[in-house]
Structures are given as structure tokens and as C-alpha cells.
Amino acid sequence: MKCCASLNLSLHHKSDVTGLYAHLTGVPKALLPGVGGKKILDFWWETVNTRQLFSEVYLVTNADKYKHYERWATANDFPVENVVNDGSTTLDDRLGAVADLELAIRSRQLQDDIMVIAGDMLCADQNFDIAQVIRFFRSKPGELAIYYELESGEKSYTRGIVEVCPNTHRVMRFFEKPQEGVTASRLASVVFYCLRKESLLYISEFLIQHPDVNDRTFGKFWEWLINEEKIPVYGMKLPTGFQLIGQVGLSDYTKWLAHYSSKQQLSPSKPITCRSFARVGLMGNPSDGFNGKTIAMSIANFWAEVTLMESQTLVLLPHPLNDPTEFGSLQDLFRISRKEGYLGGLRLLQATCKKFYQFCSEQGIALSKQNFTLKYDTNIPRQVGLAGSSAIVSATLKCLMKFYNITDNDLPKPIRANFILNVETDELFITAGLQDRVVQVYEGLVYMDFNKQLIDERGYGEYVPLDMSDLPLFWLAYLGNPSDSGRIHSNVRQRWLNGESTVVEAMKSFAELTDQARAAFQCKDWPRLAQLMDENFELRRSVYSDDCLGPGSLKMVQLARQFGSAVKLPGSGGAVVGLCMDTERLVEMKRAFQEAGCVFCFIVPYDPSVQGQN
């Protein structure tokens, strides 16, 4: 692949009322001095100067500025013979951007894929991974146009605007500096393109059809290419912070200087810490894996917390308890391994990072090359079905999104839940459903409908946050020494896939119970909710054998019912959640659970609308 940079423009000083930049009048924009003397072009040269990515790099300029770039090339070990002079000296005899590119292709006899970059493009984050751009380009059967989302103060009529299909990433329309109201899109195209060698002939065809130099812009070229349906054009989104120096450009230039001045003075960026909370399934589970409906709630009692710190290399730190690397003896290793297995959280961090990079590459989101260190902590009990694994994945994803400026538009909440599930099922082969991931993304009390038709049509179900005011006091108990809860699913899934009527009808009944529970939450009919919780457990027991539910879970259910409390399994097993309407008996029940060797606590619901809640 070849790389060509267009470098013809220079800074004007008409808007410089201070006179601070008068000495830069006529200096090519790409050679404007930055912090520490580093020029804009220096950033791009560092980025593309990787021989494994590009076989050759060319600069295209006019005769008026050629000497500037010749001197820069000599000082920066850039091949002077790769600076292409288009011979123009004024605006009147300029060739136009597309003609400049055609000149480089023709004069250097280029017969390869080409990346085109504007020399006057600025980026607040110069560390993005250009290799990722190339990989995305090669994964698509067409050309690639790079775009970014306009900042709030930027006007669409100052940029080329693209409309991009969010599913296919195909550029559907291109507008060259459209007037207000022409398009609702806020996606601005920049002169950062990838062209296939098979498409280079279209450049000559375009120039023949557009003899006027004013029409020989890249914007007009893309507009023509898309309208004529010559070849598909795909779009890739760049991180926030990309800017172009315009015809005047002084404000953008000064903002760029200020950004890098402050960046040099500031200490390394502050650590990013994110939490995700455990959840309890209050109704409908485990039908989330069977196109059913559920209601679940995130709880503040238990959480997973991930911290991301910028670093020179990418480091994943093992947890001292969950990922032990030192043991008192071989016997100590044997006992810990026999009890806890080999399933710490380090694999979750690694799998999330891998899947995140893959997702961004597939979705056309360019990432920074900045590195980081990840560490995690959690107080979620293991093997009791409170969604501990997905909480670590969810918290890690939050950190990565903040670090790389990935917005909710880039990764919407419903798709985020799918992402978390895919990390566990695709990468780590964990049997799981969507419920836990949805409630950890949305947080709070959430009604979820996993209707097959909805999921087949758009990839996700219907997720509705419910009012959390005046909730009753739920309680949670779990085994002090739980066994592996993963056995709970037994062969029910295969029976369901086989169309066994007992299982199919049970999953429909779970959905009906969930709709009734939603009504009970809305009416705050807590006795009715308690009744439905008991029905949920009995329905589950009728489908899953007692052996599958486990003697420990059944013992806790029987104990709760001795005190008149509603009770059910909040997850895959090893814990029970309940609702006791009798406050006095609730205290007695707590003591009974503790004497039976169980851990008992009152649930603290996590409400995302309450600011500062821990």
C-alpha cells in the first residue's frame, strides 16, 4: 500500500488581530510549528513511517511551497524524490486536490492500494492506530472514507458531511458543505481515504467529466463516485478530537497549540475506575436464554470494580486472591485449586480487551495506540449465581469506552449487553443468557423481553427500566461454601431445542409471570409480587429436577418458607432471594439462616438515578 499526503495550503493572518502569528504568513499549514518545534506533518510522518504498512510515502505540493517541503524532507530522512511538485504557484493555476493525486499516481506509476491524507489535518490524539484503518479497509469490498462526529460548536456547512448506514458502515450519501436542513447527519468526512488499485482508473474518468478546477475536490469526487455507483464506499469513525485547519484556520491552530502545551505540563492522565453491580433475578429467570421475559435488579451490596491507568505497555494485573501466583506450599496450591478452580478474573480482562479491539475494527472505529494497565477488584461471592463474571467484563468495558472516547452512539446499550455476553460465550465458553448483561448495562430495576422475532430483526430485545421508588425490603442468602452452580442448566436447553412441550410451555409461563410481576411493581402490590415469586420457583422446579437445583438451594428455600417468606433463585444456583412481608419473622429468619451456616443480608437496590450512590 502507498500513502499520499496533500500539502498545498498555508496559514492566512487576516484574523490575527494580535499580530502574534504574522511571521507565519505563507508557511504551509502542514509545517506550522507546534509544541517543542514539532510540526503537524511530523505527527503524520511518525504515524505512517512504518515500512511494514506502506511500501512508499509521497507528498504532493505546489511549486510555491515545494522548497519548504524539500527542506523538511532533508531534515526528517524523507526521500526528497517522493515530494511531488504539481507546478502551480497561484490559486488560479492550481490543479485541484483530485488532479494532484492523479499526478502522483501517473508520474510515479503507482499500481497499488493508496491511502490519502490531508497535510492540514489535526488530531487531539495523535496516537491512534493507523494499522487498524488498513485492516478495516481490507475487510470491506470497496473504498474507505474516514469521518468524525462534529463537535457542538462546529457547523455542518463548513465540512463535507456523510450519511453512513450504522449496520453495514456503507456511506450512502455525501454532501459537500451542505446548508442547514439538507441533512441531519453530524458526521464530517476528512481527507483521509483508502482507494483500491482497481479503482484508480475512476480518478481519470472523474477529471475528464469535471474540467473545472473548483469541482476537482475530494468531496465532489466522493459525491460522484457514490451517485454513479462505481464502487461501494464504506465509512470508518475516528476518535473524538479530529479537526481540520480551515482556509483561515487560526482558531483551530491556537487551540491545537494550547492542547499540546497543557498535555506536556499535565501529569499522566488520571486513572479511570468503573463499577458494575451484581444482580438478582426477581422474576422470569432462567427464561432469558429461551426467548422469555425477566425482571432483574442491580444491587449495591456486591460489585466488581476495574481501574485503568495509562502506561507504556499494556499490562493486566492479576488479583492477589482470585488469580493467585504465589502459594505457601504445594499442598496450599492443591487445596486452593481444588476449592476455587482456575477461573479467576484475569481471563475476563484479557477476553474483554480482545473482543473490544475486534469490535472496534469490525465497526470501523479507529483506536488510539495508547497503552494501559488494568486491575480489578470484586466482592461478589463466587459460584452463587450473582453475575460476578459479567460484572467484571461490564466494568472493564466501561473503562475501555472512557479511555478511548467510545460513546453510547458508537456502542449503544442494547449492543453493549450483547458484547458482554459474547465475551463470555464466544471467548470463554461460559453458558449464559442476556439478562445479567442487560441489567448491568442499564442498571436499576429492568423489565426484559427476549422475544425471538425482536432479536432476529434487530439483534436485541425490549428493555424497560422500572420505577424504583418505595420498593419493599428484599433479602438475599447464599451458601457459605457453595458448589459449582454451573450444573444448574442440566439438559433443559437441549430439551427446549428439541421442542419438548413441557419445557416450551414452561418458558411461556415464565414470560406470563413476568408480565404479571411488572404490573405488581407498577401498582406496588407487594403481596402479589411475593406470590408470583413463589410461583416462579415452583415452575422452575417442575422443569429442572431437584438434583439440578441442588440440595443446598432447596434447603434454603424450605427454611425461608418456614417463616412465611416468598423465595426463589436469583440466578443459576447457590443463593436465594426473598420477600418477607412480616417484619418480625424476617428478623427470626435471618438468625435461622445464619445458624444454618448461610450468609444472609438485606438487599440494597442500586438506583442509577440517585447521584453518588455507592
Side-chain angles (χ1 to χ4, degrees), residues 346-417:
L346 197 62
R347 62 184 182 135
L348 299 169
L349 301 183
Q350 185 172 353
T352 306
C353 291
K354 174 182 179 289
K355 203 71 174 178
F356 179 78
Y357 184 88
Q358 179 183 338
F359 172 85
C360 291
S361 297
E362 292 173 350
Q363 297 299 312
I365 302 172
L367 296 178
S368 163
K369 289 190 295 185
Q370 290 171 287
N371 283 321
F372 54 83
T373 295
L374 278 179
K375 66 177 182 178
Y376 79 98
D377 192 12
T378 181
N379 72 343
I380 301 177
R382 300 178 67 176
Q383 298 181 347
V384 296
L386 296 179
S389 294
S390 59
I392 295 174
V393 175
S394 175
T396 304
L397 179 59
K398 288 180 182 179
C399 286
L400 291 171
M401 290 180 67
K402 284 189 176 183
F403 185 67
Y404 288 109
N405 294 316
I406 303 300
T407 67
D408 286 346
N409 291 330
D410 299 322
L411 188 48
K413 285 185 176 181
I415 307 303
R416 210 178 306 166

Side-chain angles (χ1 to χ4, degrees), residues 117-132:
I117 299 173
D120 62 344
M121 185 158 58
L122 298 180
C123 178
D125 178 6
Q126 292 288 337
N127 291 316
F128 71 92
D129 188 358
I130 203 166
Q132 193 179 23

Side-chain angles (χ1 to χ4, degrees), residues 5-159:
S6 179
L7 306 164
N8 284 341
L9 300 177
S10 56
L11 187 70
H12 293 246
H13 69 282
K14 293 178 182 178
S15 60
D16 180 17
V17 295
T18 65
L20 290 175
Y21 302 103
H23 65 291
L24 297 178
T25 301
V27 172
K29 289 185 179 181
L31 298 182
L32 289 172
V35 176
K38 196 170 188 177
K39 302 171 176 62
I40 298 171
L41 187 57
D42 294 338
F43 286 104
W44 285 112
W45 178 228
E46 287 180 3
T47 300
V48 304
N49 189 21
T50 305
R51 296 304 175 185
Q52 291 84 350
L53 296 179
F54 301 98
S55 55
E56 293 289 346
V57 180
Y58 298 91
L59 306 181
V60 186
T61 184
N62 56 29
D64 187 46
K65 306 301 177 190
Y66 175 79
K67 194 66 180 177
H68 289 272
Y69 291 109
E70 182 184 50
R71 186 160 297 174
W72 174 88
T74 302
N76 288 274
D77 196 28
F78 183 91
V80 175
E81 63 273 16
N82 285 4
V83 181
V84 180
N85 186 340
D86 74 1
S88 64
T89 57
T90 67
L91 287 176
D92 294 332
D93 68 349
R94 71 187 188 281
L95 303 186
V98 179
D100 272 345
L101 176 59
E102 190 274 339
L103 173 63
I105 294 171
R106 178 166 41 86
S107 64
R108 300 308 190 264
Q109 300 180 351
L110 305 185
Q111 296 179 347
D112 200 353
D113 296 340
I114 291 177
M115 177 179 285
V116 181
I117 299 173
D120 62 344
M121 185 158 58
L122 298 180
C123 178
D125 178 6
Q126 292 288 337
N127 291 316
F128 71 92
D129 188 358
I130 203 166
Q132 193 179 23
V133 176
I134 297 174
R135 279 191 289 272
F136 183 73
F137 166 61
R138 288 176 174 162
S139 73
K140 299 296 180 183
E143 319 292 53
L144 181 63
I146 308 297
Y147 66 89
Y148 73 102
E149 194 160 356
L150 289 172
E151 296 179 1
S152 57
E154 289 185 275
K155 301 297 183 182
S156 58
Y157 60 76
T158 65
R159 301 284 189 251

Side-chain angles (χ1 to χ4, degrees), residues 2 17 107 118 197 265 272 296 429 533 559:
K2 306 293 193 296
V17 295
S107 64
K197 61 181 179 181
Q265 295 168 5
I272 298 169
F429 308 106
M533 290 175 70
L559 184 57

Side-chain angles (χ1 to χ4, degrees), residues 271-469:
I272 298 169
T273 299
C274 296
R275 271 190 179 186
S276 283
F277 296 89
R279 65 89 194 97
V280 287
L282 295 177
M283 193 61 59
N285 59 305
S287 71
D288 57 311
F290 305 88
N291 300 126
K293 300 177 182 179
T294 67
I295 294 175
M297 181 172 68
S298 52
I299 62 175
N301 307 63
F302 302 108
W303 44 262
E305 184 176 271
V306 174
T307 299
L308 183 152
M309 302 158 285
E310 190 172 348
S311 57
Q312 292 297 315
T313 58
L314 200 157
V315 180
L316 305 179
L317 296 177
H319 191 278
L321 294 178
N322 298 330
D323 308 289
T325 57
E326 295 185 16
F327 302 88
S329 65
L330 189 59
Q331 184 185 58
D332 185 34
L333 181 149
F334 169 78
R335 289 175 174 173
I336 290 174
S337 302
R338 182 176 59 179
K339 180 180 179 181
E340 301 182 5
Y342 313 97
L343 305 179
L346 197 62
R347 62 184 182 135
L348 299 169
L349 301 183
Q350 185 172 353
T352 306
C353 291
K354 174 182 179 289
K355 203 71 174 178
F356 179 78
Y357 184 88
Q358 179 183 338
F359 172 85
C360 291
S361 297
E362 292 173 350
Q363 297 299 312
I365 302 172
L367 296 178
S368 163
K369 289 190 295 185
Q370 290 171 287
N371 283 321
F372 54 83
T373 295
L374 278 179
K375 66 177 182 178
Y376 79 98
D377 192 12
T378 181
N379 72 343
I380 301 177
R382 300 178 67 176
Q383 298 181 347
V384 296
L386 296 179
S389 294
S390 59
I392 295 174
V393 175
S394 175
T396 304
L397 179 59
K398 288 180 182 179
C399 286
L400 291 171
M401 290 180 67
K402 284 189 176 183
F403 185 67
Y404 288 109
N405 294 316
I406 303 300
T407 67
D408 286 346
N409 291 330
D410 299 322
L411 188 48
K413 285 185 176 181
I415 307 303
R416 210 178 306 166
N418 292 348
F419 174 96
I420 296 168
L421 179 63
N422 290 339
V423 169
E424 297 179 88
T425 57
D426 296 354
E427 298 296 321
L428 302 172
F429 308 106
I430 297 173
T431 301
L434 269 170
Q435 172 192 254
D436 301 355
R437 292 83 202 158
V438 172
V439 73
Q440 284 170 337
V441 168
Y442 282 79
E443 298 182 328
L445 182 66
V446 186
Y447 167 88
M448 293 160 271
D449 182 355
F450 303 101
N451 179 276
K452 184 177 188 301
Q453 183 177 351
L454 272 180
I455 292 178
D456 288 345
E457 288 177 355
R458 65 185 189 183
Y460 55 90
E462 180 181 5
Y463 312 134
V464 182
L466 301 179
D467 178 29
M468 297 187 69
S469 62

